[in-house]
Each structure stands twice: as structure tokens, then as C-alpha cells.
Amino acid sequence: MVELDKSRLRADLPIGFLDSGVGGLTVVKQALRQLPNETIRFIGDQARLPYGPRPASQVVHFTWQMVHFLEDQGIKMLVIACNTATAAALPALQKEMTIPVIGVINPGSKAAIRASKNGKIGVIATEGTVKSGSYARAIHTQKKSVQVQSVACPKFVTLVESNEYQAPIAKQIVAQGLQPFANSGIDTLVMGCTHYPLLRPLIQNVMGSGVTLIDSGAETVNGVAQLLDVYHMAATRKVGEDHYFTTGSPTMFKTIAMQWLELSGMNVDKAVID
Ligand code: I24
Ligand code: DGL
């Protein structure tokens, strides 16, 4: 990270969250619970989702566009609430930005190491995240002796977005996707994609009660709370309203988001980024 710009570290500024679409709202949901005094600025790139199958260079470009949008809004901290964007862009963002930046991969990796007793950890994520090797790298940096098996489950994203994640077919798709772990002996599985926590009961059912599931997004909010402490930047009361932006249809975003966040109203606007 270049030197922090102290004038921008104001406690009453919002925290920025970015995501490839709506999945990052699984992170926001935890933030609303755990950090009720913080104000939220969220942007989701619904028009160009999914990021999972895209080349890393493109994801980096799209991510920077969203970062610039949030910076123009004025934020004190940035949360990359998307695993694919974290895998592709976090190192560059942390190097170049003058506010603290946190991604979802490090917090998820740390929690997995804490949870695993036998040193065998599984990771499920998008193709982009798996290809980057980011989880394996983050885990090995902290503990060399751990075995990491990463598997891409792109169908899981489609399953959630087609609203079939509670339908009978969901069970079958989840069991198929997790097949590579059948004789792996892992005792911990990282849900390394924002959408997967919605499939948690199904994933737990397939893996069995002996496997601990790690929600990277939820772990990230713990990390955000710690960062706010370290930088003496925690808000003491909620000063403004939360605002959500999407590059896609605000109506569609609002319908999903209000239901997921259990809110009766939300400020949602279209973001024009270029
Ligand atoms: N969940 C997500 N994205 C959607 C969706 C959903 N539609 C229904 N549900 N649509 O993400 C995004 C737009 N897609 C549509 C298909 O083509 C590509 C673009 C997960 C959100 C997690 C917070 C299911 C659904 C819902 C309400 C709450 C939660 C949820 F309708 F999963
Ligand atoms: N938000 C993405 C992630 O966490 C999943 C959806 C996508 O592929 O864009 O990796």
C-alpha cells in the first residue's frame, strides 16, 4: 500500500463494497448486523456478471472502474466483496490505493487454518478464483504444511441465480459439484464464492457434519471490524443512509436485495461507469 492519506480516513465516511453483481450482499448482510453504526456504499456490476469465467485482466479493469466510482462517492475503506475480483485485483488495489482495502480471500483462508485439525482444506470457488491459485497461496503463506484442494463449481452460481437453490434439482447439482472431495479427507471447506452461503444446508448435507464450512464473506466482516479498530476509524453512530448502485437494472437489484437483506426500503440507483 502507498502511504495512507490520513485526511481521507474519516470515521463518519461510508465503507465501500464492490461486487460483480448481487452476491456481495451476503457480505453486506453480515456488515449490517455486525457494524450497525457504519454507512454502506455498495456497487454491483450486474450488467457484466458473472466475473467467474472472465479473463483476470478484464476483471481487473472492471474492478478499477467500480473502485473509481466508489472513490468519487467518498469512502474511508474498501471491501472487495467478490472472490473473483479479490483474486484478480486485490494486490494491485492494495498497492495503489490510499485507503485501507480488504478482500474476501485472506479472512476466509485464516479462518480455514484455524478450523482445520487435520491440515486438509478444500476450497470451492469460480473458475477465475481457482485458476488464480489465490486461496492456496494465502493458506500456504500462513501455514506451509496444509494440503489444499481447490475445485471450481460454476454451476452453483447459476443455480442460485435461477432461483432454484431450494428446488429438488439443487441437491443433485451440489452433490455432483462436490464429488471431487469424495475421498479427500478434508475436514474444512471454504465457500470461496459469494453465492455459496445460500447453498450452505445442501453443501453441509453432502459433506457431512464432520466438515466445517467457512463463509469467507462473514469472516471478512470480522476483518473489517478489526481494521476499523486499528485505524481508529469506527463510526460511533449512523450518520447517513446506505446507498446501493448497480450497473444493471435497479428494479431487479432492489427486488433481490430487499428480500435478502430483509429491508422494507432501499436506496438503489443505476451506476454509469466507464
Ligand atoms: N440471486 C442472485 N442473483 C440473481 C438471485 C437472482 N435471481 C434470483 N435470485 N440474479 O444472486 C442476478 C441476475 N442474473 C439473473 C440470471 O442471469 C444472469 C443475471 C445471489 C444473491 C445473494 C444475496 C435468488 C435470490 C433471491 C432473493 C434473495 C436471495 C436469492 F431472489 F438468492
Ligand atoms: N461474486 C463472484 C465471486 O464471489 C461470483 C459471481 C460471479 O462469477 O460473478 O466469485
Side-chain angles (χ1 to χ4, degrees):
M1 183 153 54
V2 285
E3 204 170 328
L4 289 179
D5 181 351
K6 297 269 165 44
S7 67
R8 293 170 69 193
L9 301 182
R10 297 213 340 251
D12 56 351
L13 284 176
I15 300 177
F17 292 78
L18 69 80
D19 176 40
S20 60
V22 259
L25 294 175
T26 54
V27 186
V28 170
K29 191 169 184 164
Q30 297 291 336
L32 288 172
R33 271 196 204 134
Q34 278 189 55
L35 305 167
N37 294 331
E38 299 299 332
T39 309
I40 289 168
R41 289 286 177 279
F42 177 96
I43 180 170
D45 197 2
Q46 239 183 319
R48 299 185 292 195
L49 141 166
Y51 279 11
R54 293 182 184 276
S57 57
Q58 195 176 42
V59 174
V60 171
H61 176 63
F62 291 174
T63 303
W64 270 118
Q65 287 179 317
M66 287 195 281
V67 168
H68 293 141
F69 180 89
L70 287 174
E71 279 188 313
D72 289 346
Q73 298 272 319
I75 51 168
K76 64 181 174 187
M77 186 183 287
L78 175 67
V79 182
I80 315 297
C82 170
N83 290 266
T84 311
T86 299
L90 184 69
L93 294 173
Q94 284 186 328
K95 208 166 121 198
E96 291 176 46
M97 290 186 67
T98 52
I99 55 171
V101 187
I102 182 169
V104 279
I105 292 180
N106 261 323
S109 302
K110 275 192 191 155
I113 290 173
R114 274 199 308 272
S116 179
K117 294 195 169 68
N118 72 2
K120 291 181 185 169
I121 297 174
V123 177
I124 49 174
T126 65
E127 303 100 305
T129 302
V130 169
K131 258 191 219 153
S132 74
S134 299
Y135 268 103
R137 207 159 38 245
I139 292 170
H140 285 142
T141 304
Q142 291 165 65
K143 196 168 176 182
K144 278 206 181 61
S145 60
V146 173
Q147 276 179 41
V148 182
Q149 184 181 353
S150 303
V151 174
C153 298
K155 283 188 184 157
F156 290 12
V157 171
T158 327
L159 185 62
V160 172
E161 298 210 344
S162 61
N163 220 351
E164 287 178 306
Y165 63 104
Q166 284 155 328
I169 193 179
K171 222 171 155 174
Q172 214 177 313
I173 293 175
V174 169
Q176 247 168 34
L178 298 174
Q179 188 59 38
F181 295 110
N183 298 307
S184 63
I186 60 162
D187 70 353
T188 305
L189 181 64
V190 181
M191 297 185 284
C193 171
T194 51
H195 288 52
Y196 299 174
L198 283 113
L199 301 170
R200 184 176 200 132
L202 298 176
I203 296 171
Q204 190 76 67
N205 195 40
V206 171
M207 297 308 296
S209 55
V211 174
T212 306
L213 299 185
I214 303 294
D215 180 340
S216 281
E219 297 300 334
T220 301
V221 176
N222 296 332
V224 171
Q226 282 168 15
L227 268 187
L228 288 170
D229 250 14
V230 168
Y231 289 107
H232 305 290
M233 252 190 338
T236 47
R237 64 193 172 89
K238 195 137 181 164
V239 279
E241 289 186 5
D242 298 335
H243 282 265
Y244 298 81
F245 298 89
T246 176
T247 56
S249 150
T251 316
M252 194 164 137
F253 181 96
K254 199 169 171 173
T255 308
I256 298 168
M258 277 180 39
Q259 195 184 328
W260 175 247
L261 300 174
E262 297 171 278
L263 297 174
S264 50
M266 277 176 86
N267 303 305
V268 183
D269 286 293
K270 189 164 173 104
V272 182
I273 56 176
D274 44 35

